Amino acid sequence: IFHNIAKGLDFKFYHYGLPQDINTNGIDNSFNAGNSVGVEYPAVYAVVSNWQTATSKPSATVDVVLLFCIPQFYENDSTSSTKSILERTEQLRTLQNNFMRNLQKIGLKKGLNFPIDSPFSLQPNEGNYTTEVFTNAYNNRLIVLDTRFSMQVLLDCENVSMFRNPQPIKET
């Protein structure tokens, strides 16, 4: 879902995981097949953690961190940016807002033209997220909007093969 939203907006790169994990767990996205040009910006990284699951419910609450990134001082072609840090931050903030609005629509089942059935939900009064802004971040001197929120993921155990034909656990 995150990848498809990023593809529909003006992002040039998406990665599931932290920026420092790219070289260790590969790049699996449709923005840059085979990592031929490296990371282009604006980019978004998704990290999902802290699953809170109750056995009595077919859902889990997860914490999500989205890192929206853009270089402070340069463009993708290595030319210097003529925009100020504030202008670059606002450019990234606009992308962040569009991303979060699209996510909220899908989570509320209002994204009717979305290509897959949504496996998560957001309550109508939710959709709030917090953002911390970091400048000169990482080795690439990025502006990063560290965006955090929680969402409910619907667990569909019937579609997982190990639950269709459960096998007894063998003790060793």
Side-chain angles (χ1 to χ4, degrees):
I1 291 172
F2 299 144
H3 181 241
N4 286 336
I5 293 173
K7 276 177 54 176
L9 298 173
D10 290 330
F11 288 96
K12 305 280 188 235
F13 184 84
Y14 167 81
H15 179 70
Y16 184 85
L18 294 170
Q20 61 265 30
D21 293 338
I22 288 176
N23 293 329
T24 58
N25 65 6
I27 298 174
D28 184 18
N29 66 68
S30 62
F31 291 90
N32 180 13
N35 193 22
S36 60
V37 295
V39 177
E40 290 192 308
Y41 297 95
V44 61
Y45 298 87
V47 181
V48 178
S49 63
N50 297 332
W51 289 68
Q52 299 173 11
T53 311
T55 56
S56 61
K57 296 181 182 177
S59 64
T61 300
V62 296
D63 293 333
V64 178
V65 178
L66 296 176
L67 301 173
F68 297 94
C69 307
I70 196 167
Q72 274 184 191
F73 305 114
Y74 58 93
E75 303 295 341
N76 284 323
D77 63 2
S78 299
T79 59
S80 295
S81 174
T82 58
K83 295 180 181 176
S84 70
I85 292 175
L86 182 59
E87 289 171 315
R88 297 288 276 181
T89 302
E90 284 306 308
Q91 176 186 356
L92 190 57
R93 183 101 167 109
T94 299
L95 283 169
Q96 175 202 37
N97 284 333
N98 289 338
F99 190 102
M100 297 306 292
R101 277 194 210 106
N102 278 289
L103 184 64
Q104 179 70 359
K105 285 179 187 176
I106 295 164
L108 294 174
K109 311 295 187 243
K110 293 181 181 176
L112 301 178
N113 60 347
F114 198 70
I116 64 172
D117 188 27
S118 172
F120 72 94
S121 68
L122 299 170
Q123 298 303 316
N125 62 345
E126 292 182 6
N128 295 327
Y129 56 94
T130 61
T131 301
E132 284 190 66
V133 180
F134 297 99
T135 57
N136 218 26
Y138 299 108
N139 291 336
N140 295 337
R141 297 174 301 163
L142 302 175
I143 297 169
V144 177
L145 302 181
D146 181 313
T147 306
R148 296 169 184 258
F149 59 97
S150 294
M151 68 182 194
Q152 189 174 39
V153 177
L154 305 177
L155 305 173
D156 188 4
C157 293
E158 289 79 28
N159 287 335
V160 178
S161 62
M162 67 182 272
F163 292 110
R164 274 188 242 140
N165 298 309
Q167 300 296 316
I169 298 173
K170 297 179 183 175
E171 293 191 27
T172 56

